[in-house]
Amino acid sequence: MLDISEVDNVDDKSILTGLRANHFRHPLDLQATESLKQLPGLGLAIRTLLRPTVEHFFYLENIATSVLVGPDQLPDIYSLLVEACQILDIEQPQLYIKQHPIPNAYTFAMRGKQPFIVVHTALIELINAKELQSVIGHELGHLKCDHGVYLTLANLIALAASQLPLGPVLAQNLQSQIMEWVRCAEFTCDRAALLVSQDSRTVASVLMKLTGGSATLSPQLNLDAFLAQAQAYEDLSHDQLGLFLKQMRTQDLTHPVPVLRAKEVTQWHSTQDYQKLLQTRSINYNVEATGGWRNW
């Protein structure tokens, strides 16, 4: 059972009034987004796959098979959403809880409709309330950065890429480019999770539990040992073979590998950019993003 009392009160956190996406957007996200916009066939894919009927199907499927969180339905979880939106200065989306054995959370944004976040029950069983709020913050990061269209396209293209009119070669290239963008976008949203939790170990703990946790094992996991794994992974980039194997291993993944995400968000936590975001509640300056984990 979630213990909401362990979550820091929103009054004890920095409320990031005026926060804009580029205040925390990861540089790889910026680069990948620009590359994606230049990709031939992207507009056609969006028009082909993101038709109103497809969008409505996802919306109806979700509302029919999940529980909508609100003041009168799972109010403790609803309060986590309200506080996270307040911190990130973002309009509140809907939040659904879906019965599912695989720990996961995702965001869906449709044109002209209120966006929504879905969290699987298996994920709630795996993490504590502070970690759940950081997960919500991660998903809000997608909305804050307007990732919705590309995320939806990424979800659909895995099912329908071969049906694109311009042929399988273009579809394969489009899928590869979108998957690269999705991986870059995840780094940005891990930063949003950190801005909500304002504790890098909370975000890293979620990644650790998603990697090798269970209801039985999670209390025994050692976060410092998990963070140390990232160094061994990083060391593989020191020779061409290791670098090649890493690229082959991750080119079709939707997320960077967890140890790297944990290390990246932990490092950003110690930067001046992050500290400035917390110290300046009314943000009116341009923050230069830092980081460079191209090799997942």
Side-chain angles (χ1 to χ4, degrees):
M1 182 176 179
L2 288 173
D3 183 5
I4 195 70
S5 65
E6 68 181 11
V7 179
D8 295 332
N9 190 283
V10 71
D11 294 333
D12 298 326
K13 295 182 178 180
S14 294
I15 307 302
L16 305 177
T17 305
L19 181 71
R20 298 194 299 272
N22 283 349
H23 288 140
F24 65 92
R25 196 188 297 267
H26 196 283
L28 292 182
D29 183 6
L30 286 169
Q31 296 169 17
T33 300
E34 289 304 311
S35 297
L36 194 60
K37 289 178 179 178
Q38 304 302 318
L39 188 65
L42 179 64
L44 176 61
I46 291 174
R47 290 193 300 273
T48 302
L49 296 178
L50 301 189
R51 294 174 176 172
T53 53
V54 175
E55 293 178 337
H56 283 296
F57 171 80
F58 277 96
Y59 176 74
L60 290 174
E61 173 67 16
N62 184 70
I63 199 171
T65 61
S66 307
V67 172
L68 175 61
V69 173
D72 300 317
Q73 182 69 273
L74 301 173
D76 286 349
I77 295 180
Y78 179 70
S79 70
L80 297 179
L81 171 67
V82 173
E83 291 181 359
C85 291
Q86 186 177 352
I87 292 170
L88 293 180
D89 196 8
I90 185 173
E91 188 175 347
Q92 188 176 305
Q94 292 181 328
L95 173 62
Y96 291 89
I97 305 299
K98 186 179 184 66
Q99 180 67 243
H100 202 288
I102 298 176
N104 194 22
Y106 56 90
T107 302
F108 197 90
M110 297 176 295
R111 290 165 292 187
K113 290 187 178 292
Q114 185 179 12
F116 60 85
I117 295 170
V118 179
V119 180
H120 288 176
T121 52
L123 180 57
I124 295 176
E125 295 296 326
L126 187 63
I127 60 181
N128 61 38
K130 291 177 66 175
E131 293 164 346
L132 176 57
Q133 189 173 50
S134 76
V135 169
I136 293 172
H138 177 101
E139 299 305 322
L140 290 174
H142 285 305
L143 298 176
K144 188 75 177 182
C145 296
D146 291 325
H147 288 161
V149 171
Y150 294 148
L151 279 176
T152 303
L153 186 62
N155 291 331
L156 293 176
I157 204 167
L159 301 174
S162 61
Q163 300 177 18
L164 289 173
L166 297 184
V169 174
L170 174 58
Q172 183 177 3
N173 184 40
L174 183 59
Q175 183 176 10
S176 176
Q177 291 279 1
I178 290 177
M179 289 302 102
E180 181 176 355
W181 171 83
V182 169
R183 292 192 295 272
C184 294
E186 291 301 316
F187 283 134
T188 291
C189 295
D190 286 342
R191 291 181 172 191
L194 175 58
L195 292 174
V196 167
S197 69
Q198 299 179 16
D199 177 10
S200 62
R201 294 182 68 84
T202 296
V203 181
S205 180
V206 173
L207 295 165
M208 176 181 65
K209 291 179 180 180
L210 285 171
T211 303
S214 68
T216 302
L217 294 177
S218 290
Q220 306 174 47
L221 292 176
N222 184 323
L223 181 57
D224 292 319
F226 179 72
L227 291 172
Q229 290 179 221
Q231 186 59 51
Y233 183 81
E234 185 179 356
D235 289 343
L236 292 175
S237 297
H238 293 167
D239 62 78
Q240 290 298 318
L241 177 59
L243 188 60
F244 173 76
L245 291 175
K246 286 171 66 176
Q247 291 173 339
M248 289 293 294
R249 166 69 178 81
T250 59
Q251 63 182 357
D252 294 325
L253 295 180
T254 59
H255 292 65
V257 293
V259 289
L260 192 53
R261 291 175 62 188
K263 183 174 182 179
E264 177 75 355
V265 75
T266 300
Q267 288 183 333
W268 191 62
H269 179 266
S270 64
T271 64
Q272 290 185 354
D273 288 345
Y274 171 75
Q275 296 302 326
K276 286 180 180 178
L277 284 176
L278 295 192
Q279 293 168 6
T280 309
R281 294 177 182 237
S282 180
I283 301 169
N284 55 12
Y285 58 86
N286 292 322
V287 176
E288 293 296 330
T290 58
W293 295 103
R294 171 62 67 184
N295 299 309
W296 326 114

